[in-house]
């Protein structure tokens, strides 16, 4: 899991000189924010800082300086355009529970009115949960660039910790607290009843040691029709991390599945969890994240955009499975809005095989590969409207195009057979030549 920087890091953050402003490309922001010179541009552009360095008291400004390269790498803008042409809002009608450090009210992210929140209602002190929620469902920026993958989704704030590096009196990431959050969501689903659960997806961008209550809650949620998406785990970097110290160093054949939950819930198998890892911009794996046999898919996270504690857009510049899980949660919500009649199994049958790797031979550092929202959206469409109802089991796997007709096939086949016959005749002549020679009357009379 990624950890926000402390106050000293926030004070050091930001561009301090005109040269730095040019480096960040802040001149492009001047018309949007009314800047008249380098100094005003610097004051008006803290959104170029990392979301983990933005404090709640910072002014809300925007838009962010560049589109999210992470979303582009996953084909999210193309998926948004396809849904827009067909009148579907990405994530519309889908409810996502965010089990994390809380969602800041200033972020003004869409809440679900029919599901009770969980945990303290005080303002969050750790931006992690707000960043995760923004990656899932933040609305587009004023310039139209996407921020959240599924801006039409509704969120449920399930606050299970105060900070990942807690101070005195604050709750840190604990397995039992994550279990309590999952159990709260399960209780809400059971309380509401109905043919469709009131929560469709649970995002857990928290990695903790195994806990039987987590396993039980994950299994019950899956049986109730709820998809649990969890990070597969970042490599521990300090003593505040709840994961075992032995995972701090990379070792040959390392597999963190059994030690990281909820991703590996169920004795490390993670069969009822969509476990997500993070990859670098170029799609390569890195030792900064834990290899795990539970990994299903991957997502790039650096050069992304989300929302900070101040409610403004900001940068996601860290490689972290926390952010990757949030983005994939958004893709799952996008697919559910496009195919509202799909079961959880059918949604994942669209998502996983459409990744850029191999679903049948999964890598512990990439799973089936980087998620492709546009490919997953088109998987099994057959030209149909993704907003139309779809009966179970009609998704067809992608197939290779039919081969072009080979007009010379008959000629080649005939040539092969004539070659075989000719070669056979030559061989027969060589075998019979001595016999015929012995029977030659002229040679016998001598």
């Amino acid at each position: 899991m990624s950890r926000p920087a402390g106050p000293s890091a926030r004070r050091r953050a930001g561009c301090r000189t005109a040269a730095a402003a040019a480096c960040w490309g802040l001149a492009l922001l001047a018309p949007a924010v009314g800047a008249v010179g380098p100094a005003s541009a610097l004051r008006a552009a803290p959104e170029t800082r990392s979301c983990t360095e933005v404090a709640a008291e910072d002014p809300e400004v925007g838009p962010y300086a560049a589109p999210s390269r992470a979303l582009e790498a996953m084909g999210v803008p193309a998926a948004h355009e396809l849904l827009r042409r067909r009148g579907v809002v990405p994530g519309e009608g889908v409810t996502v529970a965010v089990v994390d450090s809380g969602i800041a009210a200033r972020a003004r992210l869409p809440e679900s009115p029919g599901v009770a929140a969980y945990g303290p209602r005080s303002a969050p002190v750790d931006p992690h949960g707000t960043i995760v929620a923004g990656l899932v469902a933040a609305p587009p920026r004023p310039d139209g660039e996407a921020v959240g993958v599924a801006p039409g989704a509704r969120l449920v704030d399930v606050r299970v910790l105060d900070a990942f590096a807690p101070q005195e009196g604050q709750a840190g990431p604990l397995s039992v607290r994550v279990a309590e959050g999952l159990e709260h969501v399960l209780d809400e689903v059971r309380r509401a009843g109905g043919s469709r659960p009131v929560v469709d997806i649970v995002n857990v961008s928290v990695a903790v040691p195994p806990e039987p209550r987590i396993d039980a809650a994950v299994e019950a949620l899956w049986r109730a029709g709820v998809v649990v998406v969890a990070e597969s785990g970042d490599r521990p970097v300090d003593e505040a991390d709840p994961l075992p110290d032995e995972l701090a160093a990379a070792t040959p054949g390392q597999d963190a599945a059994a030690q990281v939950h909820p991703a590996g819930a169920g004795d490390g198998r993670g069969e009822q969890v969509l476990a997500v890892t993070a990859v670098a911009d170029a799609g390569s794996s890195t030792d900064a994240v834990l290899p795990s046999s539970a990994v299903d898919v991957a997502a790039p996270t650096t050069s992304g955009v989300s929302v900070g504690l101040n409610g403004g857009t900001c940068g996601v510049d860290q490689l972290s499975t926390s952010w990757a899980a949030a983005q994939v949660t958004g893709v799952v919500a996008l697919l559910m809005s496009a195919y509202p009649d799909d079961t959880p199994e059918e949604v994942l049958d669209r998502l996983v095989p459409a990744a850029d790797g191999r679903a049948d031979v999964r890598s512990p550092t990439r799973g089936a590969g980087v998620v492709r929202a546009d490919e997953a959206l088109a998987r099994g469409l057959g030209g149909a409207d993704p907003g139309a109802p779809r009966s179970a089991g009609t998704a067809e796997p992608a197939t290779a195009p039919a081969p072009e007709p080979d007009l010379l096939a008959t000629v080649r086949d005939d040539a092969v057979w004539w070659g075989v016959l000719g070669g056979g005749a030559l061989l027969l002549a060589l075998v019979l030549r001595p016999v015929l020679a012995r029977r030659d009357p002229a040679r016998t009379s001598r």
Side-chain angles (χ1 to χ4, degrees), residues 324-349:
Q327 292 175 156
V328 172
T329 292
V331 175
V332 174
L334 180 152
L335 292 174
M336 286 183 170
S337 64
Y339 298 100
D341 293 337
D342 271 4
T343 65
E345 293 92 338
E346 289 169 333
V347 171
L348 300 189
D349 282 347

Side-chain angles (χ1 to χ4, degrees), residues 429-440:
L430 292 174
V431 171
L432 294 179
R433 181 179 178 185
V435 176
L436 296 176
R438 286 195 298 268
R439 293 184 177 183
D440 186 346

Side-chain angles (χ1 to χ4, degrees), residues 289-333:
V289 301
L290 295 169
S292 171
S293 57
V295 170
D296 294 299
V297 290
T301 63
T302 56
S303 303
V305 181
S306 188
V307 179
L309 290 176
N310 67 337
T313 53
C314 47
V316 176
D317 57 0
Q318 297 167 308
L319 182 73
S320 174
T321 58
S322 286
W323 314 145
Q327 292 175 156
V328 172
T329 292
V331 175
V332 174

